Amino acid sequence: MAKAAIDYLYYLRADKLPHMWCPGCGIGIVVKAMIGAIDDLGWDKNDIAVISGIGCTSRAPGYLDMNTLHTTHGRALTFATGVKMAQSTKHVIVISGDGDATAIGGNHFIHACRRNIDITEIIVNNNIYGMTGGQFSPTTPYGAKAATTPYGNIDPSFDLVELAKGAGATYVARASVDNGRMMQKLLRDGMEHHGFSVIEVLANCHTQFGRRNKMSDAVTMIDWIANRVVAKAKADKMTLEELEGKVITGLMYQNKERPEYTDEYDKLIERVQAKTSAKAGSGK
Amino acid sequence: MSSDRSDGSGIVFWQGNEVVAEAAIAAGCRFYAGYPITPSSEIAHVMAERLPQVGGKFIQMEDEIASMGAIIGASLTGVKSMTATSGPGFSLKMENIGYAYMAEVPCVIVNVMRGGPSTGLPTAIGQSDVQQARWGTHGDHPTIALAPAFHREIYLSTIKAFNLSEKYRIPVMLMLDEVLAHMSEGMRVPEPSDYHLVDRVKPSVTPEEYFPYDTRFGDVPPMASYFEGFRFHVTGLNHTKTGFPTTNPDICQSEEERMIRKVMKDADALAEYESYLLDDAEIAIYAFGSTARGARGAVDEARKQGIKVGLFRAITLWPFPDKAIYALAKRVKAFVVPEVNLGQMIQEVERAAHRDMPIVGVNKVGGIPIPPSEILSKIKEVAKNG
Ligand code: SF4
């Protein structure tokens, strides 16, 4: 990259720092990659809305010097859909945690995927409800300990990539906090993609997840993530046995053909107005 | 590109739901999000047809919660927005209605009341959500809720709902009932000269000097739109004038008080009602919505029989007309309060009357309107005992 160094403070609300996250929390890495992606795209920060629900991750918009909206638990995509429908030329980014996006917000998630509305959703997946005290989420691994699984988790977990693909998202990627460069590239491409983009980011919550699962510091937890992930290109050459227990990162799916929702609505308006004016003309 | 669904004569024969939709377009509503639910669905049908004609947008969301979130999002970008629902849908919207109060985002919520609780009587009249309109979402908040009774009044009240939401930066409820919503009535469509439109006050300061909850300009702070260079933050947490969260007890206290005061200081002016034959009345009826139409018939009949009775027809449910009811209570001997619920607004009449006097309800929850004959019987009973 021959580009000038990124002026992070230009994109941040410096007066809101220091942030409220635990030292070493993975969310900070995601915010850094987001800024890098936006800077790379050259987007005007006046034209960007960053929208979140409730949880540790959902505090991210408050630190970004953009049009920011901290909504109700699980509902970020619903507000974002209203923003995007009303101002379809603007950039709308949603940032959510795993519980926010796929438990209480699960219905909104699959329908935003289905519509293929041009919103980028970043799901910071740290396998736990951090802010409310470490309860298990739809992505907590089988057997893991959480505040509400003192005997180990018996709930099966979601594969967010498969969920997004199955529901109709047209850009689906998985990144991880141990590889900021790859994350930034995937976020950038997801933001540029014209349609609904989902980027799952595997992140560490050592405070709530790690502490209960023998990984109570950030480094141990990030190592755990780093040892599990395999980049897509490498994974493609591996056997199923070799992939056992691994999580594949990279661009998992992209479809540039499917129509985007606000484009479809704009076409509908054109069609309706042409018909209405033709009718008005013939009636005179 | 306007093309309302009238035939050009200016006289239309619309059902109440259609009136709401056409009036919303006239009020400048350009975004609607909804979810199918009886008996309010026709509002969505008309909005789906009409909005693209005027360059607006309609979306059918995945559920009621989503519809409420979407209209708040659209409104934050400066677009007047509305949703409509009934019964269980109104319950589902409550979470985000609370958000709109807290973040002070203008929007309009129509509730076509049906029988309840729960799924209740989906296709039949109810008036049992009136206290929910007041207190449905958690936490303290002011409420503006309108309950028109005639089609032309539904049209003008819909416009008023938008105007008040813009003026006070709050969600405003338009409370119809199934009978009004599905009844067709001849009406002359109000002309733009018959009403005025209100838009939210925009900031007069530069983005650098702008705060989304800046009370230097009064209890209703000027409101910027997203993407206009102001880059402000909005949250449902208690916040300071900057829009950022706070737990400072003094600021939480003063801001919550301001959010109530901004509406309640105008409570008397907001309380719209029609007095019918109340001047010499000894008995007053308090009624609203379609029940008030039947009550008027009962008043006429009772007058023929020599009973001095009149009708206080509330058009504004909330803020409750405390002063007007208090003054009326001093002049009359008794109140009769017919409503299609088991006694909701009667509690307010009792509270505002503040007197030891007969205040009796006529209450039906079987999914049928209250027959004027039953209101008449109650009037006669009260007259005899008084
Ligand atoms: S609780 Fe977990 S997710 Fe929340 S800030 Fe701490 S480490 Fe991050």
Side-chain angles (χ1 to χ4, degrees), chain A residues 182-211:
Chain A
M182 182 199 228
M183 191 198 313
Q184 183 172 318
K185 167 89 170 75
L186 292 170
L187 290 179
R188 183 209 170 280
D189 293 353
M191 289 175 194
E192 194 176 41
H193 176 80
H194 192 59
F196 192 70
S197 313
V198 179
I199 302 100
E200 175 190 8
V201 180
L202 305 178
N204 60 302
C205 172
H206 46 285
T207 305
Q208 296 292 4
F209 182 82
R211 190 165 50 86

Side-chain angles (χ1 to χ4, degrees), chain A residues 13 16 45-49 59 61-63 65-73 75 77-79 81-88 90-92 104 107-109 111-112 114-115 117 261-262 265-266 268-269 272-273 276-277, chain B residues 1-3 31 47-49 51-63 65-79 95-96 99 225-237 242 244-245:
Chain A
R13 290 171 171 143
K16 301 298 168 225
K45 60 186 184 177
N46 288 312
D47 293 340
I48 306 170
R59 288 304 188 93
Y63 304 116
D65 186 20
M66 298 166 192
N67 304 282
T68 55
L69 180 55
H70 177 226
T71 72
T72 43
H73 196 24
R75 319 297 177 205
L77 277 172
T78 72
F79 288 67
T81 299
V83 170
K84 185 69 187 181
M85 283 294 278
Q87 309 294 339
S88 54
K90 306 299 181 188
H91 311 297
V92 180
I104 190 166
N107 196 32
H108 311 309
F109 177 65
H111 289 278
R114 174 179 62 82
R115 284 185 198 105
I117 188 164
Y261 192 78
T262 61
Y265 204 95
D266 286 343
L268 178 151
I269 291 178
V272 169
Q273 293 194 342
T276 314
S277 56
Chain B
M1 184 92 23
S2 166
S3 102
F31 182 73
M47 293 307 269
E49 179 188 341
L51 274 171
Q53 292 175 352
V54 296
K57 288 181 177 167
F58 167 92
I59 189 167
Q60 182 173 311
M61 294 297 285
E62 56 273 17
D63 60 31
I65 301 167
S67 311
M68 193 59 219
I71 67 165
I72 296 171
S75 181
L76 282 164
T77 76
V79 176
E95 176 197 34
N96 283 338
Y99 186 92
S225 299
Y226 277 171
F227 310 120
E228 287 180 341
F230 289 85
R231 298 195 308 276
F232 56 100
H233 186 62
V234 178
T235 179
L237 289 164
T242 64
F244 288 92

Side-chain angles (χ1 to χ4, degrees), chain A residues 21-22 25 27 56 126 130 205-208:
Chain A
W21 297 308
C22 304
C25 174
I27 300 167
C56 292
N126 53 23
C205 172
H206 46 285
T207 305
Q208 296 292 4

Side-chain angles (χ1 to χ4, degrees), chain A residues 25-27 56-57 97-99 123-130 137 139-141 201-206 209-210 221 224-225:
Chain A
C25 174
I27 300 167
C56 292
T57 300
D98 41 295
I123 304 177
V124 179
N125 179 6
N126 53 23
N127 314 98
I128 201 87
Y129 285 85
S137 84
T139 62
T140 301
V201 180
L202 305 178
N204 60 302
C205 172
H206 46 285
F209 182 82
M221 252 217 94
W224 176 69
I225 293 169

